[in-house]
Amino acid sequence: MSAPDGSPVGAERSIGQLFASATTELSALVHDEIALAKAQLKQDVKRGAVSGGAFSVAGAVLVFSLPMLNFALAYGIRTWSHWNLAICFVLSFAANVLVAGLLGLIGVVFAKKAKKGKGPQKVAASMKESAGVLQNAKPHPRPELPGEPAPAAIEAVARSSS
């Protein structure tokens, strides 16, 4: 098993290698989050398109079917029942309104599903959480190596140079 940079796991790696590895992994995380946001947004757009299509079909059915279907249905009812022709036309109109109402209801259902979609909000919350974790990360204390000046000596040099 090896680390993302190719070095074996458990081997001592330099700070540069660790930083490069962390940068690569953070970049991959950001790319994955963006891909997730795109996929969720695509799903929400698809639901919205189905909703808009259902509303459009409902309107088209109501507009284009009224003249032809009203005449055909009204005369059919008149032939079958021998009722007054005006009542037959009202019944045929009511049937067309019922069909358009059902298609409109389908449009409302899909519109609510599209509205409930929270794709980008989920991704934004995940990115904020990742950023919060990275902001709270503290570096490990470095052990003193032989030959390095002691912290008191560094402080004295800092005071003398100011």
Side-chain angles (χ1 to χ4, degrees):
M1 192 163 144
S2 63
D5 63 356
S7 64
V9 174
E12 291 293 322
R13 297 189 291 173
S14 70
I15 292 176
Q17 289 173 325
L18 291 173
F19 184 75
S21 176
T23 303
T24 303
E25 290 175 14
L26 186 61
S27 176
L29 176 65
V30 169
H31 286 284
D32 290 345
E33 293 284 348
I34 290 170
L36 177 63
K38 285 181 182 178
Q40 290 175 341
L41 190 60
K42 184 188 284 187
Q43 185 180 24
D44 291 344
V45 167
K46 187 176 182 181
R47 286 182 182 153
V50 169
S51 172
F55 280 127
S56 298
V57 170
V61 165
L62 187 61
V63 169
F64 292 120
S65 71
L66 287 179
M68 299 297 266
L69 291 178
N70 279 341
F71 280 105
L73 190 57
Y75 282 112
I77 293 171
R78 167 92 169 143
T79 302
W80 178 68
S81 67
H82 301 292
W83 289 343
N84 187 355
L85 193 57
I87 292 173
C88 296
F89 272 104
V90 169
L91 289 175
S92 68
F93 176 74
N96 287 328
V97 169
L98 181 66
V99 168
L102 288 174
L103 289 171
L105 185 61
I106 290 170
V108 167
V109 167
F110 277 100
K112 285 183 180 179
K113 283 185 180 179
K115 197 175 199 180
K116 285 182 183 178
K118 296 181 180 178
Q121 290 87 0
K122 289 179 190 176
V123 173
S126 174
M127 289 294 286
K128 285 180 184 177
E129 182 180 330
S130 298
V133 168
L134 291 174
Q135 285 177 348
N136 293 333
K138 294 187 172 100
H140 293 289
R142 287 181 49 187
E144 287 188 34
L145 298 175
E148 279 191 15
I154 294 173
E155 191 175 307
V157 170
R159 278 194 218 137
S160 67
S161 63
S162 58

